[in-house]
Amino acid sequence: MTLFRKSLVWFRRDLRDFDHAALHQALRQSSAVYCAFIFDRSILDGLPAADRRVEFIHESLRELDEALRARGGGLIVRHVDARAGVPALAAELDVDAVFANHDYEPFAVGRDAAVADALVAAGRTWLSFKDQVVFEKDEVVSKAGKAFSVFTPYKKAWLAALHAAGDGCIAPWPTEGLPGRLLPPGPAGNGVPALEALGFARTNLAALPLGTGMSGGARLLERFSERMAEYGSARDFPSINGTSLLSVHLRFGTVSIRGLARRAVERMRSGQGTEGAATWLSELIWRDFYFMILHHHPRVAGAAFRPEYDRIEWERGERAETLFAAWCEGRTGYPLVDAAMLQLLRTGFMHNRLRMVTASFLIKDLGVDWRWGERHFALHLNDYDLAANNGGWQWAASSGCDAQPYFRIFNPVTQSERFDPKGAFIRHFLPVLGALPDKAIHAPWLAQPKVLAGAGVVLGADYPLPLVQHDEARRHTLVRYGAIRGAAVEVNENAATGFDDA
């Protein structure tokens, strides 16, 4: 039954026209539907001019606009502060209701509350729906009705809820064949403005193997489906194509989380590549887990999940700034760490294993506050998502829920030897070390002088000496964490962390 004359769908982290909860509901409940996207100045004004994420959004919007136009609609695009801009657009279009999908980050929750209040004050309706997760908020809780803080029981309850729902929770939200009619932008908007008109410049995004928009996400999913069976064994090795690369598409909703979960479940039930599909589904469940944690504990956005860890005395002053700058720029003297940091700067991507290694190194080798690293990743990651990024950093810092124990400290050399044994990843991002033999490339400072000379490497000139010695740094970390000794629980270092590139 139609409830509204005209409605507006506000696209945000859901840049697709299929399997879309808010679009489905708007079309079902409205005689006519406008579609809009807001380049929110309150977010964009703080970003650098060359930001791959803004370009990704821009290119994805162009495809979404074309898809909507093919169905008689199209996007209205505004570059304003969303808190004022959405109510103003609703008034301009004279709509009865605004439809959107839930966003769980504290900033977004506050923004949406302000928009809803303004709409209601003007006699309009605000409607929001679950779309970017499979289960949200209080949908998966313990038998006592409490939110989980440990992943394994959460995962078991998540899978039980999936089974109980008969897969209904991962069924698609159809957007075609519904009674509502998509309206063209008309005088309210003329499509997606040029990236430069928004104050942003082109990046190297087009040269990266990510693709943009719905078509880019679909291509990656099909390619990954062909090798999903190997995901469990291949995902830890950064020099091979072992992950899906879909995390940025999940972040901006050019793929559907329900569609990805369905693909994993179908593969598991088919008996083909079950282990790989189950591991990948587990990563998607980690994503829901951290969204749930952020909802119940929004304070984690700036503080430790376990408050006692806020008492840790981190390095401060000039020394901390020097160590942090070297880490950010890939100048630590540890090749795997440096190659990973250069990958982040040059591509906006970092392999999941390397997110763990670099985070552990900053926190437990250099003694720098995890929040510094969290902010650096937030600035540079294409797939930056507050919930997962925060969860991953707090995992590495031993301050989060279900985190690694404080005495579990990754050895960057051992990690390098284990997960990049031939140095292929290191050589790609640090060609200055390319001529070193496999055994020497993980710790060049331990190589014989003749080996370094033969490879044309002068330590301290061509490549830096180590900032710290790992064994000594480890001892300092144990002292630093000593005040809260015994607070952590042993976990498997190979478990997922929320630092997920899916």
Side-chain angles (χ1 to χ4, degrees), residues 4-213:
F4 305 109
R5 296 175 304 113
K6 293 187 295 184
S7 295
L8 172 66
V9 175
W10 177 17
F11 287 81
R12 293 105 69 88
R13 296 179 47 137
D14 42 21
L15 305 183
R16 63 187 187 280
D17 72 335
F18 65 93
D19 192 2
H20 192 289
L23 183 58
H24 168 91
Q25 295 291 350
L27 290 170
R28 191 174 66 84
Q29 299 182 46
S30 313
S31 297
V33 177
Y34 288 105
C35 297
F37 180 85
I38 307 296
F39 280 103
D40 194 342
R41 298 195 69 108
S42 63
I43 298 173
L44 298 188
D45 287 355
L47 299 178
D51 192 296
R52 297 182 190 90
R53 295 164 297 192
V54 177
E55 186 175 358
F56 184 95
I57 293 170
H58 181 268
E59 295 305 302
S60 299
L61 286 175
R62 291 176 60 185
E63 182 174 345
L64 176 59
D65 182 44
E66 290 175 2
L68 292 171
R69 287 179 184 273
R71 298 170 59 178
L75 276 178
I76 300 167
V77 180
R78 295 286 169 88
H79 185 203
V80 295
D81 188 310
R83 287 180 181 240
V86 172
L89 180 59
E92 179 183 335
L93 298 172
D94 188 30
V95 298
D96 298 328
V98 174
F99 289 72
N101 289 320
H102 296 333
D103 199 333
Y104 306 97
E105 298 185 2
F107 168 84
V109 171
R111 175 202 62 200
D112 289 355
V115 169
D117 287 346
L119 291 170
V120 171
R124 308 182 202 282
T125 300
W126 164 263
L127 294 165
S128 184
F129 305 90
K130 178 182 68 172
D131 186 80
Q132 64 174 295
V133 295
V134 175
F135 293 113
E136 65 172 5
K137 301 177 181 178
D138 295 312
E139 289 187 328
V140 175
V141 294
S142 70
K143 291 181 179 179
K146 296 183 178 180
F148 288 100
S149 60
V150 178
F151 177 71
T152 299
Y154 173 85
K155 177 182 174 180
K156 290 179 180 177
W158 191 102
L159 291 170
L162 179 71
H163 178 74
D167 294 351
C169 54
I170 56 175
W173 289 102
T175 61
E176 296 184 356
L178 296 173
R181 180 169 64 90
L182 290 173
L183 293 175
N190 296 306
V192 183
L195 186 65
E196 294 74 15
L198 298 168
F200 289 88
R202 296 283 169 183
T203 69
N204 65 342
L205 179 67
L208 302 177
L210 300 175
T212 58

Side-chain angles (χ1 to χ4, degrees), residues 443-464:
W445 66 93
L446 298 179
Q448 295 293 324
K450 63 180 181 180
V451 172
L452 294 171
V457 176
V458 178
L459 294 181
D462 302 317
Y463 183 71

